Amino acid sequence: MRERAKDLVLDHLGVALRGSRQPSSAIALEAARRLNGDGGIASIVGHDIRIRSPWAALANGTAAHAIELDDVTSESSLHPGVAVIPPALALAEELSSSGTALLEAIVSGYEATMRIGNALNAASAYERGFHPTGVVGAFGATAAAARLMRLDAETTARAFGVAGGMASGSLEYLSDGSWTKRLNPGWAAHAGITAAHLAATGFRGPVTAIEGSLGLLRAYSDAPARDRLAPRDDDDWALMDVSIKPYACCRYNHGLIDGVLRLADEHRIVPADVARIRLGILSAGAILVSEPIEAKRAPRNVVDAQFSAPFAAAVALTRRAAGLAEYTQANVEDAVIRGLMARTECVRDEALDTEYPRRWPSWVEIELRDGRTVRARVDDATGEPANPLTREGLLTKFRELAADVIDGHEELVSRVLSLDAETEIGRIGALVRGTVSHDRIARAAVSPR
């Protein structure tokens, strides 16, 4: 479990570093700096900037969600790391916490986020227009902050009560490809630190913010599963169920991409060969990636494309990949890709739904112009715990994302993968800001403090 937590931190930092270069991230950072005023020691990922932890958490959380490559879970259908790790890192810097304390806080945050998310029932939340990452992430961020601040159980419960009043996240970004999805986890990260500080200074929040008659599960879901709040046994760690994403889009598209890539490779399919593509979609994901089909066949921008199953299939078939380099405005406007999208149908398949949410199966069917029809089913997309990305795959992903942003990315790998040996998180902060070279860090490691 400890090693898995380190992997998730490393994956998060790679995604955040590259995400820091997105226009939405620059604007969120500028707003955070204005709101922050002067002072603060929490690092801004990818920039030689330090501000106070609540605003650093907002800026970093928003940046890390900008490229749709941050970690994700199946059962709770949300992104835990992007809401939990930014506030934990920012507070750990302020408090001069050890690497072990940071890992403990992150594990606590993942547990809270994922278990509350499991109980929320994401499919129901989606139908009501809520983004589970933003809604539930506020509690995970609060759990991480409370752990680092060493709040007792009663104060932590009060902090959860405060967080319940801040929990938010709308899906309306789907209407026009806006940036608010990226802000949702950033706001959750900010809210978690704020809630913990309010409770620590005596502010009272309801201790039944989650399960109460007017609490989170009642307010945000029509079909909550309260029994999913508790672990099954002492060895049931939620973060072991986290998936690391290889493709730069909504997770509901990943099995489809795997299927398209498999068929294209096995049958040597090129776009000109294709008469029609049919995609089997989970009902829970349809509102995100396949409906209304006319809009999903005609994305206007990269955000639209990230949430389009037809684009995912078309770009994978055309480019033989679906990473960050494929999710571009040029590909959104590409005539071949748009032609394939126009020939793509999406089907809600109740047979797939029987395994949801523990598994997210999908299928792809390609009708070829020569009369053949080829089909693939994917039960566990690449990156799922049942079909995991290897450590080498994780390192490759990190290097591809981080190498062009900071100079010390290899030193960052070494330090994160031995995070429990770090006595003070400031060194990690310096690396993610890109202000400390490999040689300087090496000298610091052997020099007396």
Side-chain angles (χ1 to χ4, degrees), residues 9-59:
V9 172
L10 185 65
D11 183 62
H12 170 85
L13 290 176
V15 174
L17 283 163
R18 181 54 65 88
S20 72
R21 297 302 186 255
Q22 293 294 308
S24 56
S25 305
I27 292 171
L29 172 57
E30 177 59 25
R33 294 181 73 181
R34 292 183 185 184
L35 291 164
N36 179 79
D38 296 326
I41 64 170
S43 297
I44 297 298
V45 174
H47 298 275
D48 189 10
I49 297 170
R50 304 176 83 174
I51 59 179
R52 294 182 176 88
S53 61
W55 299 112
L58 184 146

Side-chain angles (χ1 to χ4, degrees), residues 41-174:
I41 64 170
S43 297
I44 297 298
V45 174
H47 298 275
D48 189 10
I49 297 170
R50 304 176 83 174
I51 59 179
R52 294 182 176 88
S53 61
W55 299 112
L58 184 146
N60 290 334
T62 302
H65 203 44
I67 58 175
E68 285 295 327
L69 275 167
D70 47 307
D71 65 25
V72 66
T73 67
S74 293
E75 186 169 357
S76 52
S77 189
L78 51 74
H79 302 264
V82 74
V84 169
I85 297 175
L89 280 170
L91 261 182
E93 280 193 277
E94 284 191 342
L95 299 173
S96 298
S97 302
S98 68
T100 295
L102 174 61
L103 284 171
E104 290 172 351
I106 288 170
V107 171
S108 297
Y110 271 77
E111 289 295 307
T113 304
M114 293 172 65
R115 297 203 184 283
I116 298 169
N118 291 348
L120 180 68
N121 185 342
S124 179
Y126 286 143
E127 288 293 334
R128 298 185 62 179
F130 296 122
H131 181 208
T133 300
V135 172
V136 177
F139 292 93
T142 300
R147 179 80 182 200
L148 282 167
M149 293 170 63
R150 300 180 181 178
L151 303 186
D152 61 29
E154 180 180 354
T155 308
T156 299
R158 294 294 182 188
F160 273 20
V162 176
M166 301 176 177
S168 63
S170 168
L171 294 179
E172 188 57 22
Y173 68 87
L174 291 167

Side-chain angles (χ1 to χ4, degrees), residues 302-315:
V302 173
V303 175
D304 281 350
Q306 289 169 334
F307 292 87
S308 165
F311 181 87
V315 78

Side-chain angles (χ1 to χ4, degrees), residues 291-300 304 308:
E291 297 173 1
I293 189 60
E294 295 80 9
K296 298 303 182 181
R297 286 175 178 152
R300 296 154 294 182
D304 281 350
S308 165

Side-chain angles (χ1 to χ4, degrees), residues 332-373:
V332 168
E333 298 170 2
D334 183 85
V336 173
I337 292 173
R338 294 191 82 83
L340 281 173
M341 286 192 285
R343 305 197 297 276
T344 300
E345 299 176 5
C346 297
V347 180
R348 286 200 190 207
D349 187 340
E350 294 182 359
L352 298 176
D353 296 341
T354 60
E355 299 190 62
Y356 183 85
R358 291 187 180 275
R359 298 180 83 180
W360 290 19
S362 59
W363 53 260
V364 175
E365 185 177 274
I366 302 178
E367 182 182 325
L368 301 173
R369 296 190 188 278
D370 64 9
R372 290 180 297 148
T373 297

